[in-house]
Amino acid sequence: MSKKVAVFRKEHFNAAHRLFNPGWDDETNEKIFGKCSLPNFHGHNYELEVKVVGEPDPQTGYVMDMKVLSDLIKNEIHSRFDHKNLNLDTEEFKGVNPTAENIAIVIYELLRNKIESKFDLQIRLYETPRNYVEYPI
Amino acid sequence: MSKKVAVFRKEHFNAAHRLFNPGWDDETNEKIFGKCSLPNFHGHNYELEVKVVGEPDPQTGYVMDMKVLSDLIKNEIHSRFDHKNLNLDTEEFKGVNPTAENIAIVIYELLRNKIESKFDLQIRLYETPRNYVEYPI
Amino acid sequence: MSKKVAVFRKEHFNAAHRLFNPGWDDETNEKIFGKCSLPNFHGHNYELEVKVVGEPDPQTGYVMDMKVLSDLIKNEIHSRFDHKNLNLDTEEFKGVNPTAENIAIVIYELLRNKIESKFDLQIRLYETPRNYVEYPI
Amino acid sequence: MSKKVAVFRKEHFNAAHRLFNPGWDDETNEKIFGKCSLPNFHGHNYELEVKVVGEPDPQTGYVMDMKVLSDLIKNEIHSRFDHKNLNLDTEEFKGVNPTAENIAIVIYELLRNKIESKFDLQIRLYETPRNYVEYPI
Amino acid sequence: MSKKVAVFRKEHFNAAHRLFNPGWDDETNEKIFGKCSLPNFHGHNYELEVKVVGEPDPQTGYVMDMKVLSDLIKNEIHSRFDHKNLNLDTEEFKGVNPTAENIAIVIYELLRNKIESKFDLQIRLYETPRNYVEYPI
Amino acid sequence: MSKKVAVFRKEHFNAAHRLFNPGWDDETNEKIFGKCSLPNFHGHNYELEVKVVGEPDPQTGYVMDMKVLSDLIKNEIHSRFDHKNLNLDTEEFKGVNPTAENIAIVIYELLRNKIESKFDLQIRLYETPRNYVEYPI
């Protein structure tokens, strides 16, 4: 019988962003996104939880070495987004509005390429202590 | 392909309650519910997490505007239950024992009526930092 | 040279209360205390931190055995206030408005009587995660 | 229609452990497990969340009395593992490497025997605030 | 005898900033401030705790109505800094490097003007969950 | 006028220990320290907060660069105690009972040697989320 276990690792990064749809004029952006669209950006301490699901290896008792997962998150996510302006400094959000939903999808896709396909993967991202998202469902 | 994302919003309310089954005598209530049934009530800081699942809108990148969800929770839940006695002051718990389980079901039904049916909805309610419930499963 | 160390123990209790000055009419109470004065009570998960300052005993390395302090808080505070209505069920708040400030002063006085005078004592009381008090200063 | 609710109870225990595969030599253990394999042990404050899913009883409004669940966790888990060395002091980890994954599986099996089969059961175990696991999936 | 009590209120704001000394060239700024000086800004969820010390009013039992303090923080601090770029959008940080230390000093001075001098005032500001400051000492 | 600011940095380490006075027989150790004295050790996730007080440098706006403080804690404390058995693996606790009080004093002395004397220094150490100590007072 399969004994799947989920393992979770929390990391974080601090970034600036603004919400903005380039297909709309400024007035519409402000109407829809409110102060989240202010032109000079604001920012967040993003708290990231990465969930990996698989069977523990019988030799190690690990689904995945948390140090390996932590290093992967640091290399793929933290080094890319930490202390950056998501709108101006990143390839990933050129043409993608950096809502928490879209940031979670981008992070999922970056990590999905680097984690063996036998493992399921899910992202939880806290934009603030009171707002967070999960992807995929 | 569908890209469903879950978005979560945390709010809170402070209320008094006691656990009591009017079909039982006081001795039975005390035996079953212990000090949770003491006649003059006690209370909690209820922490509420509302989960809404759907596809991000391609124009906004939002599943749902968190400000809209926050306002909905304030109008439907906070204004109804905050600083209230659940047993004495509310319509919803006349004849319904205000356990965390039943409070979560009541909150779900109040919000379900106000959120478009294309979205899935789930409630998590913390009665204390060590006791919480989720509905539906 | 003295090596004073502060030791802290966290406990909690859940209680109902309302804010009310019996020297005022209902209208004045409502004006001053708002929904905190609603007649059927509301409640909180009170988180209590007790700070004891002294020199570690050279034999044990303890300022005070945390198990002893925990039991003292349970016997003197938790058993008195947990799952109670502070206004109706307690001697301590007959004639004393159960604001966080006054609850902290009452808890300090109850514990001060039970802790050796060579130790300094301070109370921190969280009424909610966003409101708390300390006594004495 | 069924109205299943999940109820959660958090408890904790403090224990020492080391990661070690007795089928490997010391060098391999150190290579795979790093400082988690140091011979004199290290330790953690394990935070445990137990999730029980079922329908609330119509008489009580409870899925399960949280006091009963709390006592069960104290008797079956806390008394067995708290302030223990998982490798040296417990039957359960003779021949089982005490990774977070394996500890969660062991706790699940201990509690599964004591909780009625009509209830679903899931374990979440925090080894540190940044590393945790869930079982089963 | 005086019975001074400290009351604390937590609020938060989200802002973008960069650390930059205009008297230095870019190379020196980068050497001293590292990625905190990157030109397109980054951001934080700033958690703010305001401590007010005084004697409880004998009529209310309050040092200060927490609703009044909360509104004051919202009007003086949140409305000024939330969802703003501290370097570009604010008067207060023209010529002042927005380190956590300096932000705390600025917040103190803004609130000190609005709180009666009979009360002592102290600011605690979390820039991240692992870095915070207090002013004054 | 002086503008002293306190800056705080949180780090952590995971270690095993037992409480034991070698001048007592086993029975006395067990009587005084209870299960904290069990011979095969238990362990904790120690959360450490280091407070440094001084005047912000007019050029940087920093009391002390938090990266420098973080690296200092990693080099002096984390590398020494993380994933170690405090009783068996460390010089510092040969002959010193590793109570939270004594661990805080040891950490203070290790860091005091490395931080300029113009700065005040204080240690807060969480042994569990409910038990913590501060030194000096």
Side-chain angles (χ1 to χ4, degrees):
Chain A
M1 197 196 87
S2 137
K3 286 203 171 173
K4 286 204 172 177
V5 179
V7 297
F8 300 76
R9 176 70 193 170
K10 296 193 193 182
E11 301 285 347
H12 63 271
F13 58 95
N14 311 319
H17 80 152
R18 69 178 292 214
L19 301 184
F20 183 73
N21 180 334
W24 296 341
D25 59 19
D26 285 356
E27 194 181 33
T28 307
N29 271 289
E30 190 185 335
K31 185 180 155 201
I32 300 297
F33 294 122
K35 61 188 177 181
C36 295
S37 196
L38 286 171
N40 287 328
F41 311 100
H42 61 283
H44 298 290
N45 302 327
Y46 290 95
E47 293 281 338
L48 172 63
E49 292 185 29
V50 176
K51 175 185 182 178
V52 175
V53 181
E55 291 188 46
D57 179 287
Q59 291 296 306
T60 61
Y62 282 161
V63 170
M64 190 176 178
D65 184 336
M66 284 293 93
K67 175 133 190 24
V68 171
L69 182 56
S70 172
D71 287 346
L72 181 63
I73 300 169
K74 283 183 184 119
N75 292 336
E76 293 298 316
I77 308 303
H78 191 269
S79 67
R80 206 179 291 255
F81 298 142
D82 185 52
H83 282 71
K84 296 289 176 59
N85 183 308
L86 299 180
N87 303 71
L88 300 181
D89 296 333
T90 74
E91 283 303 310
E92 290 73 14
F93 297 101
K94 294 209 184 311
V96 174
N97 198 14
T99 58
E101 291 90 330
N102 282 336
I103 301 172
I105 293 171
V106 162
I107 290 173
Y108 173 80
E109 288 169 357
L110 288 166
L111 293 178
R112 183 66 284 180
N113 288 332
K114 301 287 182 177
I115 290 175
E116 287 182 76
S117 62
K118 70 178 178 181
F119 294 121
D120 292 324
L121 176 66
Q122 190 185 41
I123 303 305
R124 177 182 279 192
L125 184 73
Y126 287 82
E127 190 172 81
T128 72
R130 298 205 162 263
N131 286 341
Y132 63 99
V133 303
E134 284 180 355
Y135 177 79
I137 294 300
Chain B
M1 198 196 87
S2 138
K3 287 202 170 174
K4 285 204 172 178
V5 179
V7 298
F8 300 76
R9 176 71 193 170
K10 296 192 194 183
E11 300 285 348
H12 63 270
F13 58 94
N14 310 319
H17 81 152
R18 68 180 292 212
L19 301 185
F20 183 73
N21 180 334
W24 294 341
D25 60 19
D26 285 355
E27 194 180 34
T28 306
N29 271 288
E30 191 186 332
K31 184 179 155 199
I32 300 297
F33 294 121
K35 61 189 176 179
C36 295
S37 196
L38 286 172
N40 287 329
F41 311 100
H42 61 283
H44 298 290
N45 302 328
Y46 290 96
E47 293 282 338
L48 172 63
E49 292 186 29
V50 176
K51 176 186 183 178
V52 175
V53 181
E55 291 188 46
D57 179 287
Q59 292 295 306
T60 60
Y62 282 161
V63 170
M64 190 177 178
D65 184 337
M66 284 294 93
K67 174 134 188 24
V68 171
L69 181 57
S70 173
D71 288 346
L72 180 62
I73 300 169
K74 284 185 183 117
N75 292 337
E76 293 298 315
I77 309 302
H78 191 270
S79 68
R80 206 179 292 256
F81 299 141
D82 185 51
H83 281 71
K84 296 290 176 61
N85 183 309
L86 298 179
N87 303 71
L88 300 182
D89 296 334
T90 74
E91 283 303 310
E92 289 74 14
F93 296 101
K94 293 207 184 313
V96 175
N97 198 15
T99 58
E101 291 91 330
N102 282 336
I103 301 172
I105 293 171
V106 162
I107 290 173
Y108 173 80
E109 288 169 356
L110 287 166
L111 292 178
R112 184 67 283 182
N113 288 333
K114 301 288 181 177
I115 290 175
E116 286 182 77
S117 61
K118 71 177 177 181
F119 294 122
D120 292 324
L121 176 67
Q122 190 186 41
I123 303 304
R124 177 183 280 193
L125 183 73
Y126 287 82
E127 190 172 81
T128 72
R130 298 203 162 265
N131 287 340
Y132 63 99
V133 302
E134 285 181 356
Y135 177 79
I137 293 301
Chain C
M1 196 196 87
S2 137
K3 286 203 170 175
K4 284 204 174 178
V5 179
V7 298
F8 300 76
R9 175 72 193 169
K10 297 192 193 181
E11 301 285 347
H12 64 270
F13 58 94
N14 310 319
H17 80 152
R18 68 179 292 212
L19 300 185
F20 184 74
N21 180 334
W24 295 341
D25 60 20
D26 285 356
E27 195 180 34
T28 306
N29 271 288
E30 192 186 332
K31 185 179 156 201
I32 299 297
F33 294 122
K35 61 188 176 181
C36 295
S37 196
L38 286 172
N40 288 328
F41 311 99
H42 61 282
H44 297 291
N45 303 327
Y46 290 96
E47 293 282 338
L48 171 63
E49 292 186 30
V50 176
K51 176 185 183 177
V52 175
V53 180
E55 291 189 48
D57 179 287
Q59 292 295 307
T60 62
Y62 282 160
V63 170
M64 190 178 177
D65 185 337
M66 285 293 94
K67 176 135 190 21
V68 170
L69 181 57
S70 172
D71 287 346
L72 181 64
I73 300 169
K74 283 183 184 119
N75 291 337
E76 293 300 314
I77 308 302
H78 191 270
S79 68
R80 206 179 291 256
F81 298 142
D82 185 53
H83 282 72
K84 296 290 175 60
N85 183 308
L86 299 179
N87 304 70
L88 300 182
D89 296 334
T90 73
E91 283 304 310
E92 288 75 13
F93 296 100
K94 293 208 186 312
V96 175
N97 198 16
T99 58
E101 289 90 331
N102 281 336
I103 301 172
I105 293 170
V106 162
I107 290 173
Y108 173 80
E109 287 169 358
L110 288 167
L111 292 178
R112 185 65 283 180
N113 288 333
K114 301 286 181 176
I115 290 176
E116 286 181 77
S117 61
K118 70 179 178 181
F119 294 121
D120 291 324
L121 176 67
Q122 190 186 41
I123 303 304
R124 177 183 281 193
L125 183 73
Y126 287 81
E127 190 172 80
T128 72
R130 297 204 163 266
N131 287 340
Y132 63 98
V133 302
E134 284 181 355
Y135 177 79
I137 295 302
Chain D
M1 198 196 86
S2 138
K3 287 202 170 174
K4 285 204 172 178
V5 178
V7 298
F8 301 75
R9 175 70 193 170
K10 295 191 194 182
E11 301 284 348
H12 63 271
F13 58 95
N14 311 321
H17 80 153
R18 68 179 291 212
L19 301 185
F20 184 72
N21 181 334
W24 295 341
D25 59 20
D26 285 356
E27 194 180 34
T28 307
N29 271 290
E30 191 185 334
K31 186 180 154 199
I32 300 297
F33 294 123
K35 61 188 176 181
C36 295
S37 196
L38 286 171
N40 287 329
F41 311 99
H42 61 283
H44 298 291
N45 302 327
Y46 290 96
E47 293 282 337
L48 171 63
E49 292 187 29
V50 176
K51 176 185 184 178
V52 175
V53 180
E55 291 188 47
D57 179 287
Q59 292 295 307
T60 61
Y62 282 160
V63 169
M64 190 177 176
D65 185 335
M66 284 295 91
K67 175 134 190 22
V68 170
L69 182 57
S70 173
D71 287 346
L72 180 63
I73 300 169
K74 284 183 183 118
N75 292 337
E76 294 298 316
I77 308 304
H78 191 270
S79 67
R80 206 179 292 254
F81 298 142
D82 185 51
H83 282 70
K84 296 289 175 60
N85 183 309
L86 298 180
N87 304 71
L88 300 182
D89 296 333
T90 74
E91 284 303 311
E92 289 73 15
F93 296 101
K94 294 205 184 315
V96 175
N97 198 15
T99 59
E101 291 89 331
N102 283 336
I103 301 172
I105 293 171
V106 162
I107 290 173
Y108 173 80
E109 288 168 358
L110 287 166
L111 292 179
R112 184 67 280 183
N113 288 333
K114 301 287 182 177
I115 290 176
E116 286 181 76
S117 61
K118 71 178 177 182
F119 294 121
D120 292 325
L121 177 67
Q122 191 185 40
I123 302 305
R124 177 182 280 193
L125 183 72
Y126 287 82
E127 190 172 80
T128 72
R130 298 205 162 263
N131 286 341
Y132 63 99
V133 302
E134 284 180 356
Y135 177 79
I137 294 302
Chain E
M1 196 195 88
S2 139
K3 287 202 170 175
K4 284 204 173 179
V5 179
V7 298
F8 300 76
R9 175 69 193 171
K10 295 192 193 182
E11 301 285 348
H12 63 271
F13 58 95
N14 311 319
H17 80 153
R18 68 179 293 214
L19 301 185
F20 183 74
N21 181 334
W24 296 341
D25 60 20
D26 285 356
E27 195 181 35
T28 307
N29 272 288
E30 191 185 332
K31 185 180 155 199
I32 300 296
F33 294 122
K35 60 189 176 180
C36 295
S37 196
L38 285 171
N40 288 328
F41 310 100
H42 61 283
H44 298 290
N45 302 328
Y46 290 96
E47 293 281 338
L48 171 63
E49 293 186 29
V50 176
K51 176 185 183 178
V52 175
V53 180
E55 290 189 47
D57 179 286
Q59 292 295 306
T60 61
Y62 282 160
V63 169
M64 190 179 178
D65 185 337
M66 285 293 93
K67 176 134 190 22
V68 171
L69 181 57
S70 173
D71 287 346
L72 180 65
I73 300 168
K74 284 185 183 115
N75 291 338
E76 293 299 315
I77 309 301
H78 190 269
S79 68
R80 205 179 293 254
F81 298 141
D82 185 50
H83 282 72
K84 297 288 175 60
N85 183 309
L86 299 179
N87 303 71
L88 300 181
D89 297 334
T90 73
E91 283 304 310
E92 288 75 13
F93 297 101
K94 293 205 186 314
V96 175
N97 199 14
T99 58
E101 290 90 331
N102 282 337
I103 302 172
I105 293 171
V106 162
I107 290 173
Y108 173 80
E109 288 169 357
L110 288 167
L111 292 178
R112 184 66 282 180
N113 288 333
K114 301 288 181 174
I115 290 176
E116 287 180 77
S117 62
K118 70 177 177 182
F119 294 122
D120 291 324
L121 175 67
Q122 191 187 39
I123 303 303
R124 176 182 282 193
L125 182 73
Y126 286 81
E127 190 173 79
T128 72
R130 297 202 163 266
N131 287 342
Y132 63 98
V133 302
E134 285 180 356
Y135 177 79
I137 294 300
Chain F
M1 195 195 90
S2 137
K3 286 202 172 177
K4 285 206 172 176
V5 179
V7 298
F8 300 75
R9 175 69 192 171
K10 296 191 194 183
E11 301 286 346
H12 63 271
F13 58 95
N14 311 319
H17 80 154
R18 68 179 292 212
L19 301 184
F20 183 73
N21 181 334
W24 295 341
D25 60 19
D26 286 355
E27 194 179 35
T28 306
N29 272 288
E30 191 186 333
K31 186 180 155 198
I32 299 297
F33 294 123
K35 60 189 176 180
C36 295
S37 196
L38 285 171
N40 288 327
F41 311 100
H42 62 283
H44 298 291
N45 302 328
Y46 290 96
E47 294 282 338
L48 171 63
E49 292 186 29
V50 176
K51 175 185 183 177
V52 175
V53 180
E55 290 188 49
D57 178 286
Q59 292 295 307
T60 61
Y62 282 160
V63 170
M64 189 177 178
D65 185 337
M66 284 294 92
K67 175 133 190 24
V68 171
L69 181 56
S70 172
D71 288 346
L72 180 64
I73 300 169
K74 284 184 183 114
N75 292 337
E76 293 299 315
I77 309 302
H78 190 270
S79 69
R80 205 179 292 256
F81 298 142
D82 186 50
H83 282 72
K84 296 288 176 62
N85 183 309
L86 298 179
N87 304 71
L88 301 181
D89 296 335
T90 74
E91 283 303 310
E92 289 74 13
F93 297 101
K94 293 206 187 311
V96 175
N97 198 15
T99 58
E101 289 89 332
N102 282 336
I103 301 172
I105 293 170
V106 162
I107 290 173
Y108 172 80
E109 288 168 357
L110 288 167
L111 293 178
R112 184 67 282 180
N113 288 333
K114 302 287 181 175
I115 290 176
E116 286 182 78
S117 62
K118 71 178 176 181
F119 295 121
D120 292 323
L121 176 66
Q122 190 186 42
I123 303 304
R124 177 183 280 194
L125 183 73
Y126 287 81
E127 189 172 80
T128 73
R130 298 203 162 266
N131 286 341
Y132 64 99
V133 302
E134 284 180 356
Y135 176 79
I137 294 301

